[in-house]
Amino acid sequence: MARRPRVVRTVSALRRTVARFRAAHEPIALVPTMGALHAGHLALVRAAQRRADSVIVSIFVNPTQFAPHEDLKTYPQTFAADIAVLAALKTDLIWAPSVETMYPAGFATRIVPEGPATAGLEDAFRPHFFAGVATVVAKLLIQCEPDVAVFGEKDYQQLKVVARLVRDLDLPVKIISVPTVRENDGLAMASRNAYLSESERAVAPVLHRVLADCAGKIAQGALVARVLDEGGAAIERAGFTLDYLEARHAETLKPIETADDGPIRLLVAARIGKTRLIDNVGV
Ligand code: PAF
């Protein structure tokens, strides 16, 4: 059986371990997660291992990125299984602080990002989200002092927000992005896929199919606005409520009108039953 990785739960224990990695001159990588690990997370850990000798995986369900009506209380928690897969991958350290450790009594500081965080995508539907993400990611980076930190392209706007945060605050870390890992039918892997009923799960791959179809048509010169209208209608016909289907500049996330304004990223968010899914592809 694989050796259980060391799990630390206090900032002082984390600092001692990070200091040991640093004393051994080992490059450190951080993979921030909220647990409920799936193959997408494991791809992040493998990417981290290719770039650093010591890999820290943080597992922390961050309450500040959930609005009161969202799924904080029911967010999937599979800590024992997470530790087992991280042990099999030979992860060096797991940083698993409690909410009280991350946000002690009197905690009163928030990072409120702009730029990509106010692009009118996730932020339009989850206005609290990116301040929660930016604050916790900044804390994780300061706590773990990694040389690289690894994020998935699945949360594309988050990736751009974190990249901007690191540049703006001069944090000495390189942000690495990893392509989305998909099920065989194209559905992007996500912890929240666990909420889907059998019939919703059968419909869910429509999101990726529509994205891929739209990307193909735009690449062949079709009118962006018309392609998106038709794509959105196809998503709603399949039973989703569409939050957005947008073509944005892949770096700035600014709206684009023609393929010449690119590089283009297509981003979608839609709800089916109680589950909200997001996905994106490049054109
Ligand atoms: O993508 C996630 O799992 C979370 O938003 C993150 C980056 C771990 C911050 O809580």
Side-chain angles (χ1 to χ4, degrees):
M1 216 175 71
R3 197 168 56 86
R4 191 179 190 274
R6 188 165 142 77
V7 179
V8 295
R9 296 184 183 274
T10 64
V11 175
S12 52
L14 175 69
R15 289 252 153 86
R16 278 197 300 278
T17 313
V18 168
R20 271 205 298 279
F21 292 156
R22 286 255 161 260
H25 303 292
E26 293 175 358
I28 300 172
L30 171 67
V31 181
T33 83
M34 299 207 298
L37 302 183
H38 49 68
H41 293 113
L42 305 192
L44 304 184
V45 175
R46 288 196 192 93
Q49 286 173 329
R50 285 195 293 277
R51 287 171 176 84
D53 297 323
S54 302
V55 172
I56 306 174
V57 175
S58 63
I59 298 181
F60 179 65
V61 182
N62 175 36
T64 66
Q65 67 190 72
F66 291 77
H69 67 278
E70 290 183 343
D71 56 342
L72 174 61
K73 287 208 176 73
T74 54
Y75 193 83
Q77 302 226 25
T78 56
F79 194 75
D82 294 348
I83 301 298
V85 288
L86 292 173
L89 279 183
K90 299 189 169 37
T91 305
D92 300 283
L93 184 68
I94 293 165
W95 170 222
S98 64
V99 173
E100 293 69 33
T101 297
M102 195 57 109
Y103 301 115
F107 187 89
T109 302
R110 235 163 39 113
I111 295 176
V112 183
E114 297 178 355
T118 55
L121 297 163
E122 283 305 282
D123 50 297
F125 294 86
R126 307 185 69 196
H128 57 283
F129 179 66
F130 286 118
V133 168
T135 304
V136 82
V137 169
K139 285 196 62 132
L140 290 166
L141 294 173
I142 291 165
Q143 290 163 342
C144 298
E145 299 175 40
D147 300 285
V148 300
V150 185
F151 291 82
E153 285 183 355
K154 155 79 178 21
D155 296 291
Y156 195 78
Q157 191 180 4
Q158 170 176 280
L159 174 64
K160 297 298 161 193
V161 170
V162 169
R164 187 73 255 169
L165 169 91
V166 161
R167 281 202 295 277
D168 288 352
L169 298 185
D170 302 317
L171 298 176
V173 58
K174 187 171 163 47
I175 300 300
I176 306 287
S177 65
V178 173
T180 303
V181 177
R182 299 183 180 280
E183 304 282 0
N184 288 338
D185 58 13
L187 176 65
M189 296 222 180
S191 304
R192 288 188 171 98
N193 291 352
Y195 299 154
L196 295 168
S197 70
E198 207 176 311
S199 58
E200 291 161 355
R201 174 64 189 82
V203 170
V206 165
L207 282 190
H208 179 245
R209 276 207 293 279
V210 168
L211 282 176
D213 185 51
C214 291
K217 287 178 177 156
I218 292 171
Q220 280 166 22
L223 212 63
V224 174
R226 179 176 308 157
V227 168
L228 295 180
D229 278 351
E230 289 169 4
I235 288 169
E236 297 204 302
R237 267 199 311 280
F240 285 94
T241 305
L242 185 65
D243 281 352
Y244 58 82
L245 170 62
E246 297 257 353
R248 294 299 182 97
H249 189 280
E251 284 312 312
T252 63
L253 299 185
K254 296 218 164 92
I256 61 105
E257 269 156 34
T258 74
D260 296 338
D261 300 336
I264 301 178
R265 199 84 189 179
L266 300 180
L267 302 103
V268 69
R271 287 168 282 130
I272 187 154
K274 292 197 170 75
T275 311
R276 186 169 183 278
L277 300 175
I278 61 172
D279 200 352
N280 66 85
V281 298
V283 173

